[in-house]
Amino acid sequence: MGAAQPVNFEALEAQARTLLAVFIAAGYEAVAPDIIQPAGVFLDVVGEALRGRTYVFTDLSGEELCLRPDLTVPTCRLYLQRHPHADREAFYSYNGPAFRFQPASADASHPREFRQAGIEAFGDKDASEADARTLVLMLRALQQAGLPGWRLRIGDVGLFDALLAAGDMPERWRRRLRHQFWRPDAFRAELKRLSSGPARSAASFPRALIDKLDPEDAAGAELLVTEYLDAGNVELIGVRSAAEIAEGLLAVAADAKAPPLKPDTAALIDAYVRTRVPAPQATTALRDLVGTGSERFAAALEAYDRRCMLLAESGVDIAAMEFSAEFGRSVGYYTGFVFEIVVDALGPTSPVGGGGRYDGLLKAVGAPRNVPAVGGAVHTERLLTVVRGGKR
């Protein structure tokens, strides 16, 4: 499909068997989640970058479905089918195809149909230990599969969340900055808007309606929006209800009345996301930047330190790892530690593997509560390309 070269499935399967053998030996049960998944589940949780690249279709019964764009969410759904109360530890491994739209100009490292071999761990009691174990197991499997060398880039969405929590700003602004965190350019544009003139966002909306909205009265706002639409003979078309439109306009109305983000808060956030240092230097750099006033940030730094210690004890050269504060990967469900495994032959836009912690994802797909979870996956076509020393 797309512009990718023909796939050598025999070589891919041999490679996948090598990876899975390492995962299974470490106690990760091999599973095979469904390829066709409910579209709504994916579109709600994967984030904007992946949502627009998901193949969605409607079956003959009218149900909206999709071809899975990754295997993490399907594995979460499989876990909940087995353990609906989400009260058991479970360790799964998998190998199979995933599907994402790619432009016709995409090279062989970005096919529309590709294969992932990976692991997911649910219900772990020690987050730092599980994070380190996941990355070490991924590296061990890649080494066993013949990958000659790699570079590691890590980040921590939990540190970013702790920084925002300590900042003096409305909660809706934290949600907006968190939402844009995955896209550096959009994030910086949003930070600039909030720190220079959040009221400007109201300029493109009907001033008479915005002035009437009370940010504390959601029910009244829905009524005002309905009356405004009726008066203008505007018919609701699409998936947004009057209540959802009112919710968005209430945020606009609140911004119209709000002062800009304080300069020191904006400067701190900007300096934080620009931090990029060798992993062992990150704690000192971030503590010097943020200070010791936030207990939540201090706790997140402590967890970061312990994770690095566990990685070093497992033989990982943490001095060669790069910590990038703005690195969050391209999907929206990560909540903590994130990592990518990069090789020079393919470059940073085509990582051979990656993953991270996603403690809120299981609840988003139906669990009764948040469940600690972490995982990682290998892009086996890319791995094969590097191992063979060229194009497949």
Side-chain angles (χ1 to χ4, degrees), residues 320-336:
M321 293 194 313
E322 178 192 69
F323 171 82
S324 175
E326 72 174 0
F327 169 51
R329 294 185 49 77
S330 60
V331 290
Y333 49 66
Y334 288 110
T335 59

Side-chain angles (χ1 to χ4, degrees), residues 12-297:
L12 282 174
E13 284 304 311
Q15 199 171 57
R17 286 194 295 271
T18 299
L19 296 169
L20 284 176
V22 176
F23 299 152
I24 293 170
Y28 288 73
E29 176 191 354
V31 296
D34 293 337
I35 291 175
I36 296 176
Q37 296 281 326
V41 172
F42 272 93
L43 301 182
D44 287 344
V45 301
V46 296
E48 289 185 9
L50 195 50
R51 185 181 300 126
R53 297 166 57 199
T54 300
Y55 287 100
V56 179
F57 61 96
T58 303
D59 69 7
L60 295 177
S61 69
E63 184 178 2
E64 193 174 43
L65 303 169
C66 72
L67 298 176
R68 61 189 187 195
D70 79 355
L71 273 79
T72 297
V73 177
T75 306
C76 287
R77 296 187 66 246
L78 184 149
Y79 168 79
L80 290 176
Q81 290 167 7
R82 295 185 176 186
H83 309 293
H85 299 294
D87 56 353
R88 303 280 185 88
E89 281 192 347
F91 303 88
Y92 298 142
S93 60
Y94 51 75
N95 165 53
F99 308 83
R100 299 179 189 178
F101 169 78
Q102 300 288 355
S105 59
D107 62 22
S109 296
H110 297 83
R112 295 179 181 180
E113 177 181 346
F114 60 98
R115 300 186 76 81
Q116 286 186 336
I119 53 176
E120 311 292 345
F122 304 117
D124 50 80
K125 301 296 191 297
D126 185 329
S128 295
E129 191 279 332
D131 292 347
R133 182 185 66 239
T134 298
L135 178 53
V136 169
L137 188 56
M138 290 281 290
L139 295 177
R140 185 185 307 156
L142 286 169
Q143 186 175 36
Q144 190 70 27
L147 189 65
W150 55 75
R151 291 184 288 111
L152 283 171
R153 181 167 70 139
I154 65 169
D156 195 325
V157 183
L159 279 170
F160 176 69
D161 283 345
L163 180 78
L164 289 185
D168 182 13
M169 69 184 80
E171 183 59 34
R172 67 182 183 279
W173 290 2
R174 293 190 183 95
R175 289 195 298 269
R176 265 183 237 166
L177 291 170
R178 179 67 166 80
H179 178 70
Q180 299 291 8
F181 182 59
W182 320 101
R183 302 181 298 172
D185 291 341
F187 175 85
R188 288 187 169 83
E190 182 67 15
L191 183 62
K192 181 178 179 180
R193 188 187 70 81
L194 294 177
S195 58
S196 60
R200 294 174 189 167
S201 60
S204 59
F205 294 89
R207 190 71 201 185
L209 175 60
I210 296 297
D211 287 342
K212 290 180 181 178
L213 295 176
D214 180 356
E216 305 300 323
D217 184 6
E222 182 179 352
L223 179 60
L224 286 170
V225 167
T226 301
E227 291 174 348
Y228 178 84
L229 295 174
D230 289 343
N233 294 317
V234 178
E235 182 180 357
L236 284 175
I237 300 176
V239 297
R240 297 192 72 196
S241 65
E244 290 170 326
I245 294 173
E247 182 181 4
L249 289 176
L250 282 175
V252 173
D255 284 355
K257 301 176 175 67
L261 189 66
K262 292 181 178 179
D264 57 343
T265 301
L268 175 60
I269 295 172
D270 183 64
Y272 172 83
V273 297
R274 293 180 185 277
T275 301
R276 180 175 293 186
V277 295
Q281 300 176 20
T283 301
T284 299
L286 294 178
R287 188 175 287 120
D288 290 346
L289 181 65
V290 178
T292 58
S294 168
E295 291 185 7
R296 180 174 170 181
F297 193 82

